[in-house]
């Protein structure tokens, strides 16, 4: 397969990106190719310095960069030769099978909409984060930041997207889907969660009711659905708490599993293709994980499965 | 002063409540009286077993109890002789100066509305939680659970209530008020937070802009304002994370400061009187803290200050 990677996105680009790609390449099979989008000369120089050959790597020269300060919609119009613009064009044409970037996440969303678009019948795309459980495994938390004013019917659909992600990419059989809420009982919550509960109850997936925040760390639920504003706050809160604890020198397996480097990037669920959004602070380890996660999601055929389910749902 | 305490509210009532009152009494001055509302015989027996005299304690006999399963509004109508009904009636008549309970928190809200009511010009009451900072001190997080669909103008006012609470009860000069949000820059967030930002900018208190979740544990902000649904989720998430860490045997000063026993109860800000809502799982230590916190809030004259500010604001 051909794994697309934006070499210019993220705080430590292109160095960390290229080094991460080199690390990932060593774990991929001979027929896999990582396609790097970015400044060719710069990328070649980093590869040279690392003393590796180009086997399994390709470079598509891009003369522009969309950075963190660019307004996403404007940037795609004004920078057609940017690594993001060209990368998404390749994804649309099928010249790469997946596309990942640790750059401007708003631009990743816009790029998706302008290129592969959303699957038929998807109301809103979303980002799914993987939060470690205290015992073992992870909880899929979604949305964590795309849709900041989520409608009840969208929450319902996030449950479906999260359920498929947990099953296809994480191998969880009949994933238990909970709705993030301030109480366990039906009827608890704000207007949004009360309405979403009613839709999820007859949802066609394994809905297990409301999940209080403590459930995220426990083993009673696999997928926790929430509004993107709430999910982003919660994810950031969990991350900063874990970071604060780690900084205090407390060494623990649970805390060490909060390392974003383990997965490297979050899939944009609902996109009509495999799009992976990385952390801006990604180092080479995180980029390596993001590349391998891209392949895993592609191989899981989650996009194909979801497409057929969503089509038949209508 | 006269400190009202519901002896029948909470998972370990009346034992833990009465024992907590006895512990608190030892730290109060001779002119302070704790007024216990509840089943007189039962309370007297507990006091007797503890081998203490009645000095500084009073009992108001109440023959009914509003429990966790009661619907709040119905309960006040059907149980006029409950400890909550009688306690709030005493608060309204000035027969106690404060009223605290670890019982049904929905009933505490309804009881407040039916008795002392809200201060003039208060749109919605709220609960303020105290979250430990990594270095030292606490961040006031509000609302953490009363108002689950908070309007922007209410968020603005929560900033004012939180600012006065931080100043009067915690002694913080010109408290820095932040708006909980998914990004630092103005214009970030959902519709609610964008609108609230504009109101808070010209707010008449020390507004320092958006605060990301990580700011709660840092020292750049004293008060963090959010929607009650979001705040309740965040508080529960923080509590469960801290509990999970503590259970894993990690010993740390920061984590140990997450103990709810330290404050024992949260003030219902906006109420036209001092009303303190305790944790359902309160033990005697938590109840002791709640009684002492009641006195501290009464002595701070926060209700009087807020009333005069809110009146002049109109």
């Amino acid at each position: 397969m051909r794994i697309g990677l934006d070499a210019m996105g993220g705080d430590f680009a292109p160095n960390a990106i290229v080094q991460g790609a080199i690390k990932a390449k060593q774990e991929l099979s001979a027929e896999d190719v990582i396609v790097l989008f970015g400044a060719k000369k710069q990328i070649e120089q980093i590869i040279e310095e690392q003393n590796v050959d180009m086997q399994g790597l390709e470079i598509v020269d891009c003369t522009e960069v969309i950075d963190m300060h660019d307004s996403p919609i404007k940037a795609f119009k004004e920078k057609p030769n940017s690594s993001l613009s060209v990368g998404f064009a390749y994804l649309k044409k099928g010249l790469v099978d997946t596309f990942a970037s640790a750059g401007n996440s708003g631009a990743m969303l816009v790029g998706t909409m302008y290129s592969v678009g959303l699957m038929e019948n998807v109301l809103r795309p979303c980002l799914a984060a993987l939060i470690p459980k205290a015992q073992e495994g992870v909880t899929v938390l979604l949305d964590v930041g795309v849709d900041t004013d989520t409608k009840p019917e969208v929450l319902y659909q996030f449950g479906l997207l999260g359920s498929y992600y947990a099953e296809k990419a994480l191998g969880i059989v009949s994933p238990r889907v909970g709705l993030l809420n301030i109480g366990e009982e039906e009827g608890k919550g704000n207007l949004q969660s009360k309405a979403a509960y009613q839709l999820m109850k007859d949802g066609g997936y394994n809905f297990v009711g409301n999940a209080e925040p403590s459930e995220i760390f426990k083993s009673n639920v696999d997928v926790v659905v929430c509004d993107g504003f709430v999910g982003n706050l919660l994810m950031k809160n969990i991350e900063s708490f874990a970071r604060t604890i780690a900084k205090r020198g407390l060494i623990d397996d649970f805390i060490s599993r909060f390392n974003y480097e383990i997965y490297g990037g979050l899939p944009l669920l609902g996109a009509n293709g495999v799009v992976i959004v990385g952390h801006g602070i990604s180092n080479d380890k995180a980029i390596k994980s993001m590349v391998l996660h891209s392949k895993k999601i592609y191989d899981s055929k989650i996009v194909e499965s979801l497409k057929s389910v969503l089509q038949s749902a209508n």
Side-chain angles (χ1 to χ4, degrees), chain A:
Chain A
M1 68 167 290
R2 294 171 58 80
I3 302 164
L5 181 61
D6 171 18
M8 312 310 282
D11 298 351
F12 307 114
N15 257 296
I17 316 297
V18 178
Q19 288 177 20
I22 293 169
K23 283 204 166 80
K25 178 174 98 90
Q26 290 156 0
E27 300 196 12
L28 294 170
S29 54
E31 59 265 32
D32 294 325
V33 176
I34 302 171
V35 183
L36 293 158
F37 295 88
K40 193 171 186 188
K41 280 213 172 134
Q42 234 183 318
I43 296 170
E44 281 175 338
Q45 200 184 329
I46 299 164
I47 295 173
E48 220 164 273
E49 281 165 7
Q50 297 289 312
N51 241 330
V52 289
D53 60 40
M54 286 293 295
Q55 179 69 37
L57 297 175
E58 265 182 41
I59 304 169
V60 176
D61 194 23
C62 305
T63 53
E64 292 169 313
V65 175
I66 292 176
D67 69 25
M68 302 307 276
H69 305 290
D70 279 318
S71 149
I73 295 175
K74 223 171 129 193
F76 278 96
K77 282 189 188 142
E78 291 176 0
K79 297 179 173 176
N81 297 314
S82 65
S83 53
L84 281 184
S85 301
V86 178
F88 274 114
Y90 267 61
L91 184 67
K92 191 180 179 182
K93 287 182 200 153
L95 299 174
V96 291
D97 298 307
T98 63
F99 185 58
S101 172
N104 186 325
S105 57
M108 286 296 282
L109 181 63
V110 171
T112 301
M113 305 302 270
Y114 281 6
S115 59
V116 291
L118 300 182
M119 293 172 190
E120 203 181 331
N121 295 328
V122 160
L123 302 168
R124 298 281 298 159
C126 64
L127 283 175
L130 301 175
I131 312 285
K133 292 182 180 300
Q135 295 302 322
E136 56 171 354
V138 292
T139 297
V140 178
L141 180 70
L142 80 172
D143 173 35
V144 295
V146 177
D147 196 33
T148 52
D149 287 279
T150 310
K151 300 211 168 92
E153 57 270 31
V154 175
L155 284 174
Y156 156 72
Q157 199 177 63
F158 286 171
L160 186 73
L161 297 176
S163 179
Y164 267 80
Y165 177 59
E167 190 171 328
K168 298 290 173 186
L170 306 177
I172 300 167
V173 180
S174 186
R176 295 157 300 176
V177 179
L179 173 66
L180 187 71
N181 211 333
I182 57 175
E184 268 181 44
E185 306 87 354
E186 185 174 343
K188 284 270 178 182
N190 58 7
L191 297 173
Q192 176 200 45
S193 64
K194 284 176 194 170
Y197 190 103
Q198 296 308 316
L199 298 172
M200 293 171 86
K201 225 167 46 166
D202 320 304
Y205 46 80
N206 186 8
F207 180 57
V208 295
N210 289 324
E212 291 201 77
S214 61
E215 295 299 324
I216 294 172
F217 306 121
K218 293 181 190 162
S219 301
N220 307 320
V221 67
D222 302 301
V223 177
V224 173
V225 172
C226 61
D227 174 284
F229 182 75
V230 173
N232 190 272
L233 291 173
L234 213 60
M235 179 186 69
K236 284 180 174 161
N237 182 57
I238 291 170
E239 280 179 356
S240 73
F241 202 155
R243 211 162 42 233
T244 305
I245 303 276
K247 261 194 197 161
R248 296 176 75 83
L250 295 169
I251 296 161
D252 182 75
D253 165 63
F254 175 49
I255 294 300
S256 66
R257 284 190 286 126
F258 278 91
N259 194 335
Y260 76 97
E261 294 170 6
I262 297 174
Y263 295 98
L266 313 179
L268 187 68
L269 297 177
N272 191 18
V274 179
V275 175
I276 309 281
V277 180
H279 214 303
I281 56 163
S282 287
N283 61 13
D284 53 343
K285 275 187 212 166
I287 297 297
K288 175 190 151 188
S289 301
M290 182 159 76
V291 170
L292 299 177
H293 200 52
S294 299
K295 181 176 168 63
K296 194 170 178 182
I297 289 179
Y298 178 74
D299 286 345
S300 77
K301 300 199 185 301
I302 180 175
V303 173
E304 290 79 355
S305 311
L306 266 173
K307 268 165 98 163
S308 85
V309 167
L310 287 163
Q311 268 168 353
S312 68
N314 219 30

